[in-house]
Amino acid sequence: MFDEIMGLPAHPLLVHAAIVFVPLLALVGVIHVLVPPLRARFSWVLVLLSLIAPVASWMAKESGERFERRMNAKGDMPPDLAAKINVHQDHGEKMLWFVCALAVVALLFVALDAGRRRANANVGPAPAGGEAAAPPAARGRMIMMIIFGLGVLALAGLSGWYVYKTGDAGARIAWSGF
């Protein structure tokens, strides 16, 4: 599966899944963190993308490694091309780690938000004459949501940057006429 798809090298075909799903995961993660009214309605999208994007990235990485082995087997790879491939491969591995971290942190954020909404649904009206104090668990959950939200924002940026760097390095290899 990672070598060929219908006689064509799999890597140039499979990378497009990562090119689509990783930026989507980053974008939906950022929107999910920054636009609270949309969270309840679209959490499932973030969960789905958190499952798909790392798999797409892994498949792109695996097919790239097979593609490199296939090219090395011919034995005539110029050293400058090998150096460019190593840079591309390094960016792709970093992207995979950042995407996996983004997926985990985004899933934790979704779980914390679902717990917050569930806890808020179970809280009765405020006592007469004032606002009810937030229980310690609610304050702790909010602090964790802030921390994980900042993590989602940072990892979304890093994932997006490495999708760009990986794709740029790969495109330069493909279009340099090696």
Side-chain angles (χ1 to χ4, degrees):
M1 175 179 164
F2 294 116
D3 260 353
E4 290 185 354
I5 297 175
M6 296 172 40
L8 297 171
H11 184 64
L13 301 173
L14 292 175
V15 297
H16 290 88
I19 290 169
V20 170
F21 290 117
V22 172
L24 273 176
L25 172 61
L27 178 64
V28 171
V30 168
I31 291 170
H32 195 73
V33 168
L34 297 178
V35 188
L38 296 178
R39 288 181 191 161
R41 179 166 279 186
F42 294 104
S43 289
W44 67 271
V45 176
L46 185 56
V47 169
L48 192 61
L49 287 170
S50 293
L51 300 173
I52 294 172
V55 171
S57 298
W58 177 76
M59 288 174 60
K61 177 186 162 303
E62 287 297 313
S63 65
E65 289 174 357
R66 300 264 170 85
F67 191 46
E68 180 188 19
R69 275 189 240 130
R70 184 182 199 184
M71 291 179 66
N72 279 333
K74 294 178 183 177
D76 59 349
M77 186 183 300
D80 61 328
L81 177 60
K84 290 178 182 179
I85 290 173
N86 285 337
V87 169
H88 175 64
Q89 187 176 23
D90 183 52
H91 290 323
E93 287 178 10
K94 288 177 185 173
M95 182 193 75
L96 177 61
W97 285 107
F98 285 126
V99 169
C100 289
L102 173 59
V104 169
V105 172
L107 289 172
L108 291 170
F109 186 86
V110 167
L112 284 167
D113 183 58
R116 180 192 58 79
R117 281 186 278 117
R118 202 171 28 256
N120 287 347
N122 293 335
V123 173
E131 195 174 303
R139 285 193 303 266
R141 185 179 293 114
M142 189 54 66
I143 291 169
M144 293 303 293
M145 283 186 69
I146 291 169
I147 292 168
F148 283 114
L150 291 172
V152 167
L153 296 176
L155 291 166
L158 288 166
S159 296
W161 175 249
Y162 276 102
V163 165
Y164 165 74
K165 292 293 283 180
T166 306
D168 182 61
R172 288 183 189 277
I173 293 167
W175 292 100
S176 67
F178 64 88

